[in-house]
Amino acid sequence: MDTDVVIAGAGPAGLMLATELALAGVGAIVVETLKARSGQSKATNLQPRTAEILEMRGLLTGVDERSIGRVEGGEFAGNTLDYAALDSRYPYQMGVPQARVEEILEDRLAELGREVRRNWQLTGFDQDDDGVTVHGPEQLRARYLIGCDGGRSTVRELLGVEFAGTDATRWTAVADVVCGPGTAQPPVGWSLAGMKPRRRADGTFARMVPLGEPGLYRFVYSDAPEGDITADDVADRFRLFYGDEYELIDVRYASSFSDAVRQVAKYRVGRVFLAGDAAHVHPPVGAQGMNLSVQDAFNLGWKLAAVLSGRTSEDLLNTYESERHPVGARVLATIRAQSALQGPDLERKTLREILAMLLNVPDANRVAADMMSGLDIDYGGAGHVGGRLPDFKVDKGWASRLFHKGQGVLLAHDEKFLAPAAPYRDRIAATVTDTLPWDDVQAVLIRPDGYVCWTAPGEEMTGALRKWFQTGA
Ligand SMILES: Cc1cc2nc3c(=O)[nH]c(=O)nc-3n(C[C@H](O)[C@H](O)[C@H](O)COP(=O)(O)OP(=O)(O)OC[C@H]3O[C@@H](n4cnc5c(N)ncnc54)[C@H](O)[C@@H]3O)c2cc1C
């Protein structure tokens, strides 16, 4: 074997996965078609749950330092969701271009002694009982291959898995542009108000998103042509929507996304897995894409590491699909619902009005906010089991710091709860603490990805230890 894992694609999913594996000391090679990072802003919104995840690995400070602002709430079908009441240290969307998140993840990977093999396009693979042979500029042999190769995934195509959903009917262009004042000053600062939305009588729309550098904006416009977006097309549309208000100085990158909504039926076929956009594609409605991708990788990373360390049965890997497929399906459902509400006809307008009225009810708003922020993700179980551990103060620091090494965490009011976990000292950090996040709990065992897998009082801890941390099969 050349390595344990080959990861195809160095976007947010591939890089997050690679850092998780590197943290666990598992061998992994990331291959990436692009010679250098494109620098295109792409996604700009980090949802609260993704912020929590990054904090659990000590990465959020770097992201926050490079963020360009905050949106104090979420969005559903054009309605503002109140994030202020969310049970999170980060009750807002952090505005940070995807390119900067990728930079931080790649820097972390370098700190951990790993690098991305660029100008390396996966063109094929063969799998057998022992491993996967990956074809590209050279051949690589690994125990697993993970396709993090985006919406047009080659890995997905070669696997031939069902990719059910709806086809693209329209395209929206996204260009990073430099512009200066014309008859008006371009907006400054990152906020919903700064986006200068424009809607024309024929239903086409555009907006500008300030990207945190003087003069740099993301220009988004609807009804783009299918295929490559040229600088001329961007310039024409810019003039159409903004006239001589602003001067377009440069078009740095231009591409497009479609309204296709699809999800693979299987996230795993033998020794090959799919994560991120390779597993699900959708338009960036409600700012979910990058978040979903990072979270897929975060779910898979520690499981792969546990199996490859030889301590855990291969069955653990099946929980990746059983946990993440429903999460992806629900995000796609929210996007379909929001798309269905768009349109100028009276029926949809009425539906939108009724929804807006309902979302004014605090409890309804809260349910939608929990959903769009990713905080209500629950992998199933009784009581608190399956849900996330909200960050809280343990002694002098935050609980999130206990996860920095990628281990599981056991927190208990009393020493007696720690004994069953003693043989797992190398993979579970155990702490006695006076504080726990819930009054009805005396001890809580948490997986390396921050989801609760056992609490006391209740069943014995041994079942949870065996399921999530077991030594041997
Ligand atoms: C123009 C645009 C604008 C977007 N805007 C938003 C937004 O506002 N909000 C939001 O939440 N989401 C947005 N998204 C979606 C978001 O960017 C994606 O959800 C996110 O990038 C998915 O991350 P990923 O790592 O799964 O895939 P990607 O980021 O697509 O990364 C895949 C990587 O794999 C590489 N690759 C592909 N094929 C191969 C191969 N055969 N071999 C090796 N490497 C390969 C690619 O070069 C790429 O670097 C946007 C996407 C695009 C394209």
Side-chain angles (χ1 to χ4, degrees):
M1 295 281 167
D2 296 302
T3 188
D4 288 324
V5 184
V6 169
I7 299 170
L15 290 170
M16 185 79 232
L17 181 60
T19 60
E20 285 292 282
L21 296 179
L23 191 62
V26 167
I29 295 175
V30 188
V31 298
E32 165 60 51
T33 304
L34 297 178
K35 283 190 188 133
R37 267 200 306 271
S38 79
Q40 187 175 13
S41 61
K42 290 194 182 176
T44 47
N45 300 50
L46 213 64
Q47 294 289 352
R49 182 58 187 152
T50 315
E52 290 183 347
I53 279 174
L54 294 172
E55 179 65 3
M56 283 169 58
R57 295 295 184 263
L59 292 165
L60 190 65
T61 306
V63 172
D64 199 11
E65 278 164 7
R66 289 186 226 189
S67 73
I68 53 181
R70 287 177 184 179
V71 170
E72 304 293 336
E75 199 188 321
F76 188 88
N79 298 284
T80 299
L81 303 176
D82 181 11
Y83 274 10
L86 289 177
D87 176 22
S88 173
R89 289 171 64 196
Y90 317 104
Y92 46 80
Q93 294 183 70
M94 194 179 279
V96 57
Q98 179 173 322
R100 297 188 189 181
V101 176
E102 291 175 6
E103 232 170 68
I104 286 159
L105 290 172
E106 203 168 336
D107 287 354
R108 164 52 70 90
L109 199 59
E111 271 169 35
L112 294 166
R114 307 279 173 87
E115 59 180 31
V116 174
R117 285 196 194 174
R118 295 193 171 276
N119 202 11
W120 207 113
Q121 182 164 20
L122 174 148
T123 51
F125 62 83
D126 306 295
Q127 60 168 318
D128 52 55
D129 288 348
D130 301 322
V132 188
T133 305
V134 179
H135 308 289
E138 61 193 308
Q139 256 186 29
L140 292 173
R141 178 85 178 148
R143 290 183 64 192
Y144 296 100
L145 165 66
I146 321 298
C148 297
D149 50 344
R152 298 190 178 112
S153 170
T154 306
V155 177
R156 182 185 68 226
E157 227 161 77
L158 293 171
L159 277 177
V161 284
E162 188 189 350
F163 194 38
T166 45
D167 285 333
T169 60
R170 52 180 191 265
W171 280 261
T172 302
V174 189
D176 287 1
V177 300
V178 180
C179 64
T183 57
Q185 285 293 331
V188 197
W190 193 75
S191 69
L192 288 175
M195 292 190 190
K196 299 290 170 200
R198 294 283 187 276
R199 189 172 283 279
R200 291 167 51 83
D202 60 3
T204 56
F205 67 88
R207 64 177 185 272
M208 286 167 67
V209 184
L211 287 175
E213 272 177 48
L216 184 64
Y217 296 85
R218 182 204 298 189
F219 172 48
V220 183
Y221 58 91
S222 69
D223 301 84
E226 185 180 350
D228 292 343
I229 305 294
T230 63
D232 284 347
D233 191 58
V234 174
D236 286 349
R237 300 300 181 99
F238 195 86
R239 264 192 301 277
L240 187 69
F241 283 102
Y242 295 105
D244 57 3
E245 267 180 82
Y246 316 121
E247 185 199 355
L248 180 68
I249 297 168
D250 188 23
V251 178
R252 288 200 187 163
Y253 312 101
S255 58
S256 63
F257 59 82
S258 80
D259 60 346
V261 179
R262 290 184 177 278
Q263 184 180 25
V264 284
K266 286 171 176 292
Y267 278 35
R268 173 186 191 180
V269 179
R271 296 185 161 273
V272 182
F273 292 75
L274 296 167
D277 277 13
H280 33 68
V281 294
H282 55 83
V285 178
Q288 300 289 311
M290 174 172 62
N291 298 276
L292 200 51
S293 295
V294 167
Q295 290 172 28
D296 279 352
F298 203 61
N299 184 287
L300 181 58
W302 70 273
K303 294 175 181 173
L304 269 175
V307 169
L308 283 162
S309 70
R311 292 186 303 241
T312 310
S313 129
E314 254 254 325
D315 292 348
L316 182 64
L317 295 176
N318 292 331
T319 65
Y320 167 63
E321 178 178 303
S322 63
E323 292 185 342
R324 294 305 297 172
H325 190 283
V327 173
R330 193 181 65 163
V331 167
L332 298 194
T334 65
I335 285 160
R336 284 198 184 96
Q338 292 179 82
S339 302
L341 285 163
Q342 281 175 12
D345 52 288
L346 184 61
E347 285 76 11
R348 288 175 216 236
K349 191 166 167 278
T350 313
L351 268 174
R352 285 197 295 272
E353 283 167 4
I354 290 174
L355 179 70
M357 192 179 74
L358 291 173
L359 286 176
N360 268 332
V361 178
D363 281 353
N365 194 293
R366 176 65 192 268
V367 169
D370 276 341
M371 180 172 75
M372 298 305 282
S373 63
L375 295 179
D376 71 346
I377 291 169
D378 194 317
Y379 296 138
H384 302 291
V385 173
R388 81 192 222 287
L389 181 85
D391 208 1
F392 71 104
K393 280 277 176 71
V394 178
D395 302 326
K396 291 196 182 98
W398 290 97
S400 49
R401 82 186 189 288
L402 302 172
F403 293 87
H404 280 190
K405 291 184 182 159
Q407 291 173 300
V409 172
L410 173 61
L411 299 166
H413 282 326
D414 194 296
E415 190 88 33
K416 71 177 182 199
F417 291 109
L418 308 189
Y424 299 80
R425 212 168 282 131
D426 58 337
R427 69 208 91 145
I428 296 175
T431 304
V432 174
T433 171
D434 289 339
T435 49
L436 284 175
W438 306 289
D439 292 340
D440 57 342
V441 157
Q442 291 164 17
V444 55
L445 178 64
I446 310 114
R447 312 185 325 189
D449 60 353
Y451 287 87
V452 174
C453 59
W454 171 85
T455 55
E459 288 177 8
E460 301 230 322
M461 198 197 303
T462 41
L465 287 168
R466 201 171 302 127
K467 179 166 183 191
W468 302 108
F469 300 96
Q470 180 59 295
T471 299

